[in-house]
Amino acid sequence: MSAFWHLGIAIIGLLAAVPAPRGAMAATIDDLYQSQTIVTGTGEVNRQIGFKDCLDRVLVRVSGDQRLPAKPEMAALRDKAGDFVDSFRYHDRLEGIPVHDEQGTHDRPHDLTCLYKPAVLDKVLAQLGSKPWLGERPRLAILLSAEQGERHFVLTANDGRGEAMRDSFVNATGPLLMRIAFPPTELVSGMDEKALRAADIAGLDQLAKKAGADHALAGSIVWSDKDLGWIADWRLGDGGKTYRWQVRGVSFDEAFRVAIRGAAQVLSGNGQP
């Protein structure tokens, strides 16, 4: 296995139809075999809690399999989560903000980043019946219709109405190192939410390729007063099969995280989200 493999950072999705050069901002194996969580302070007790969360996150990050944290074997693995960590570091999330009291240094939130050796983590994955998902992640073209009251639109790269959604979608790609692209307005001109929902995934995949992507991740997101949140439906084609999944009553941040997690589940060969 090569020490380095090229993986475009998710922010290139904002470039829509212009694919980034393969070598630009490439991620390494070290980038893949690490995870991050937020802990309170830098004490041992909270560090151990952070180690457990980082283990869950890195196993999903490396394998693409969203089901691993729910496996019964994870309970014993979490009890020794620190044993799998090769090194770790902290970053004070309030860096530059003065401490206001004696307890401040203990209560400040920190990013805890854990790094793992591939050989060690791959053995853990094998214990769980899983394996690493190596290589370049496919780029996904986001073909999304959004509806909130009187507002109806198809998300594009250059429509001001979708700025917050685009930012949220890009943020959702980070934990799994996924890559996305948003179509320019002219590529989906004349396509409304009804047309998008009715289109078959094979046709949308062809549209995705025109946006410099490998697959279409198609969906709809609708605000529901009853559910006190968004209802999001997603579909993705792979291997001649169309996969569908849904989430209800969530923020659009979570709706987009569910979209990316589901896509990773499918494209890593781990089946239905």
Side-chain angles (χ1 to χ4, degrees):
M1 181 172 62
S2 171
F4 291 91
W5 47 278
H6 295 300
L7 180 64
I9 297 302
I11 292 175
I12 64 173
L14 293 175
L15 298 178
V18 183
R22 294 269 176 161
M25 301 176 65
T28 67
I29 286 291
D30 288 340
D31 294 321
L32 180 64
Y33 283 83
Q34 67 173 264
S35 59
Q36 186 179 90
T37 191
I38 300 174
V39 295
T40 301
T42 58
E44 178 65 21
V45 173
N46 285 336
R47 182 183 307 143
Q48 293 303 320
I49 294 172
F51 283 164
K52 294 177 181 181
D53 190 37
C54 279
L55 179 63
D56 283 8
R57 291 171 183 267
V58 75
L59 290 172
V60 172
R61 181 182 178 94
V62 173
S63 69
D65 190 349
Q66 315 303 303
R67 299 167 299 188
L68 294 185
K71 288 203 168 189
E73 300 94 322
M74 283 300 302
L77 291 171
R78 290 188 190 101
D79 286 341
K80 52 182 180 180
D83 294 347
F84 306 122
V85 177
D86 183 50
S87 62
F88 64 90
R89 60 176 181 264
Y90 287 105
H91 174 258
D92 186 348
R93 294 176 66 87
L94 301 180
E95 185 177 16
I97 300 176
V99 176
H100 296 294
D101 54 64
E102 292 182 358
Q103 295 299 316
T105 54
H106 302 289
D107 295 337
R108 291 166 76 91
H110 287 71
D111 292 322
L112 171 63
T113 300
C114 294
L115 295 90
Y116 303 83
K117 288 186 175 179
V120 172
L121 203 69
D122 290 355
K123 288 182 181 179
V124 178
L125 287 172
Q127 292 177 46
L128 296 168
S130 187
K131 61 183 180 180
W133 178 29
L134 302 177
E136 188 177 59
R137 301 311 200 231
R139 183 181 293 128
L140 303 172
I142 307 302
L143 300 173
L144 173 69
S145 65
E147 177 182 336
Q148 184 178 25
E150 297 299 316
R151 298 180 68 207
H152 295 245
F153 63 95
V154 173
L155 185 65
T156 65
N158 38 7
D159 187 331
R161 293 173 297 180
E163 182 176 2
M165 287 188 176
R166 289 193 298 270
D167 288 346
S168 179
F169 233 129
V170 169
N171 290 337
T173 64
L176 289 163
L177 291 177
M178 297 293 282
R179 305 186 303 154
I180 60 175
F182 300 107
T185 301
E186 56 271 20
L187 192 62
V188 293
S189 61
M191 177 177 283
D192 58 16
E193 60 266 27
K194 290 182 180 180
L196 181 55
R197 290 173 180 172
D200 67 272
I201 199 68
L204 294 178
D205 279 343
Q206 291 302 311
L207 193 65
K209 294 183 188 305
K210 294 179 180 179
D214 303 297
H215 296 267
L217 175 56
S220 64
I221 185 167
V222 180
W223 175 260
S224 170
D225 290 332
K226 179 181 178 181
D227 291 282
L228 298 177
W230 296 89
I231 301 172
D233 290 274
W234 304 104
R235 56 191 172 117
L236 176 73
D238 187 52
K241 180 178 178 180
T242 300
Y243 294 84
R244 301 175 186 271
W245 63 102
Q246 185 191 75
V247 66
R248 303 178 68 92
V250 298
S251 68
F252 63 67
D253 288 337
E254 179 60 16
F256 300 152
R257 286 191 288 264
V258 168
I260 294 297
R261 290 196 295 259
Q265 179 87 11
V266 171
L267 296 173
S268 61
N270 285 297
Q272 178 66 39

